[in-house]
Structures are given as C-alpha cells and as structure tokens.
Amino acid sequence: ARPPVAPAAPASSSAPRGRSLVIAHGKKKGFAELMGGGEEEAVVVKKGAASESERCPCGGGEDKLPYSRCCKPYHKGEKYPADCVTLMRSRFTGYAKGEGEYVVRTTHPENPIFKDGAKAESGKVVSTLADDVRMTCKKVRFYDLEIVSDKPSKNDEHLVGFRYKCRVVGQKGFNELAEEKHSELSTFRRGENGEWLFLDGITGAVDS
C-alpha cells in the first residue's frame, strides 16, 4: 500500500495513472501513490477477536486482531509481509498510525515520486515522497478498509483492489471534514531482494 492520498480520471496506456486522496501543500492528491505535483503554494493482548476500538486499522484480518498482533510487527521491522494483500493492509495501517517511514520503505524505487519527487505543473519539485506521506498521515484519518480483489499481473507484478473511507482534518486541526469514500487498484512489484513493494495505484478502478 494509498494511503494517501482527490480522485483522478482513469488511466490508460498513454496517460499517467490516477491518484486517491492525499493532502500535500494544501491540495488534494492521490492516496496509494501520492503521485503528481500539487500547486506550488500549495495494548493489552486478549484472546479471541479484539473489540472494535482495539482492532487494527486494517480490520485485523479474519481474526480481527488488535494492532499489536497485526500490523505493528511489520512497522517495527520485526517481520516483512509475505504477500501483497498483507503489504497493502500494513501500508494502510501505516497511514492510519502515522508510520510514514514504513510507507516510504515499502515503496518501489520505480515509483515516480520516489524517483523524482512531487512536481507542480511548472515542473518544479515541491516535495518528496516522505514529505507527502508525512503530511497525509497528519491531515487524513483512514478507516474501513475493504480488500475486494487480489490477482497476479504480468511478470513480477500483482494487483490488489480495495475500498476505504477517510476524513480530512480541518485546517486548524480540530473539526474533521465530511466522510469521503474511495477505491483504488494498486500495483505491487518485486524489489531487488524479491520482496513485494508498492509501485502505483489507479483511483476509482474498483467498482463501488
């Protein structure tokens, strides 16, 4: 996993991929990818399922686990996701928990912003991937993740489709704005060491 990160038009083979909801430099951008420049001014462990208040932001999987037994070990470097769905869930929780370094660490080096930074229409680099992720974690509250598809793609790539909800924190950091619903189809590609990494995402590519 986007995170996050306003929707863009569907991508085609000749057009750049879309983005989900991310706030950077005062402008909405994509969640999964945080790609494309904005305007320049711009826990106690319990047996069984965790309660809703304790549950990991990704939903906790089939066992509805708490964060401490679900995504936290990935964020703390104790282990690495073995499959793309788990990676997607852990990245989503990374945004929800403010684990920006983990989101950056699990992004493929061929990701456009990872390589070149976010650019304004003028072409000027206005932020890095780390900057965008940090701002998104601070300004957006993510919840209600739903994985809707999981399938291999070409070569060493894999596709994961998902839906989620979010609320943007008000400018003064107090009141939240209206709930927004988004969907995305994320592409994952293997890295040099064979681990899965997030490459790109197409906003709105999953039926709502």
Side-chain angles (χ1 to χ4, degrees), residues 67 71-81 99 102 105:
Y67 173 63
C71 290
K72 185 176 180 178
Y74 302 121
H75 296 165
K76 301 309 177 185
E78 297 171 10
K79 57 182 181 178
Y80 194 87
E99 295 286 346
Y102 177 78
R105 190 166 70 247

Side-chain angles (χ1 to χ4, degrees), residues 1 9-10 25 40 44 47 51 60 68 86 100 117 120 131 136 141-143 173-175 189 191 198:
H25 307 286
E40 293 187 29
V44 175
K47 294 182 179 180
S51 68
S68 62
T86 304
D131 291 335
T136 300
R141 182 168 70 87
F142 296 96
Y143 54 98
F174 296 103
N175 297 325
R189 180 183 292 173
F198 171 77

Side-chain angles (χ1 to χ4, degrees), residues 102-131:
Y102 177 78
V103 175
V104 174
R105 190 166 70 247
T106 55
T107 300
H108 198 282
E110 291 301 312
N111 173 288
I113 286 191
F114 193 101
K115 288 199 306 181
D116 303 319
K119 298 180 180 180
E121 292 184 4
S122 64
K124 178 181 178 181
V125 175
V126 294
S127 69
T128 64
L129 176 62
D131 291 335

Side-chain angles (χ1 to χ4, degrees), residues 84 149-160 188 196:
C84 295
S149 64
D150 170 29
K151 58 184 180 181
S153 183
K154 60 182 180 180
N155 301 323
D156 287 331
E157 293 187 357
H158 199 94
L159 303 176
V160 177
F188 295 85
W196 288 109

Side-chain angles (χ1 to χ4, degrees), residues 57-97:
C58 77
E62 292 183 0
D63 295 328
K64 303 186 185 306
L65 297 172
Y67 173 63
S68 62
R69 290 193 288 151
C70 189
C71 290
K72 185 176 180 178
Y74 302 121
H75 296 165
K76 301 309 177 185
E78 297 171 10
K79 57 182 181 178
Y80 194 87
D83 59 83
C84 295
V85 169
T86 304
L87 178 56
M88 170 61 237
R89 288 184 177 279
S90 65
R91 284 173 56 86
F92 181 87
T93 301
Y95 279 106
K97 288 289 190 179

